[in-house]
């Protein structure tokens, strides 16, 4: 097995594990996680950031889309589970494509 194959297997396993953590939240019926791992650069100044988008499907009757603490919890879970991930590179959407983690920021 090559280093590339090991890295891809690690990334897939990490993505599955994080998805399962999000799905374990009581108010989440389903979750889809997409992680954009940039190519590793020699110099840190040339390194592109890691980016993540999550689409969550709330359970019927759930208020997770309006519960800031739960959305912040998902964001923190992602940030600490993925090395180098920053808050500004995390997008959390519901299944209707409504941005959940803007927290009053103006999105460009």
């Amino acid at each position: 097995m090559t280093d590339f194959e090991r890295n891809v297997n690690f990334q897939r396993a990490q993505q599955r594990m994080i998805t399962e953590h999000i799905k374990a939240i009581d108010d989440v019926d389903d979750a889809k996680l997409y992680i954009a791992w940039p190519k590793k650069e020699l110099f840190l100044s040339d390194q592109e950031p890691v980016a993540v988008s999550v689409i969550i499907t709330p359970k019927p009757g759930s208020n997770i889309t309006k519960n800031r603490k739960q959305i912040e919890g998902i964001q923190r879970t992602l940030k600490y589970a993925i090395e180098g991930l920053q808050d500004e590179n995390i997008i959390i959407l519901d299944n209707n494509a409504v941005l959940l983690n803007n927290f009053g920021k103006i999105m460009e």
Side-chain angles (χ1 to χ4, degrees):
M1 185 178 282
T2 66
D3 286 343
F4 175 78
E5 290 170 320
R6 273 191 286 277
N7 192 35
V8 167
N9 288 340
F10 171 76
Q11 290 173 348
R12 287 179 182 162
Q14 187 177 29
Q15 190 164 331
R16 278 191 306 272
M17 183 231 14
I18 296 167
T19 301
E20 290 304 314
H21 273 76
I22 294 170
K23 285 180 173 182
I25 298 170
D26 284 340
D27 290 331
V28 175
D29 196 31
D30 194 19
K32 304 242 185 298
L33 175 70
Y34 304 95
I35 304 173
W37 278 286
K39 185 180 92 169
K40 295 283 184 189
E41 298 293 340
L42 181 60
F43 298 106
L44 189 57
S45 61
D46 296 334
Q47 185 65 49
E48 292 291 323
V50 177
V52 173
S53 66
V54 180
I55 300 172
I56 60 171
T57 303
K59 285 186 179 173
S62 166
N63 73 339
I64 191 167
T65 59
K66 306 224 184 315
N67 190 326
R68 180 175 174 153
K69 288 194 181 294
Q70 285 183 306
I71 300 303
E72 285 176 340
I74 293 171
Q75 186 163 321
R76 273 193 302 278
T77 298
L78 294 168
K79 186 176 175 183
Y80 294 120
I82 301 169
E83 182 180 354
L85 184 61
Q86 298 297 316
D87 288 336
E88 61 268 12
N89 298 322
I90 301 172
I91 300 293
I92 302 173
L93 304 168
D94 70 5
N95 57 326
N96 295 313
V98 175
L99 183 64
L100 302 176
N101 68 324
N102 63 353
F103 306 131
K105 294 182 228 168
I106 297 173
M107 300 302 291
E108 296 179 28

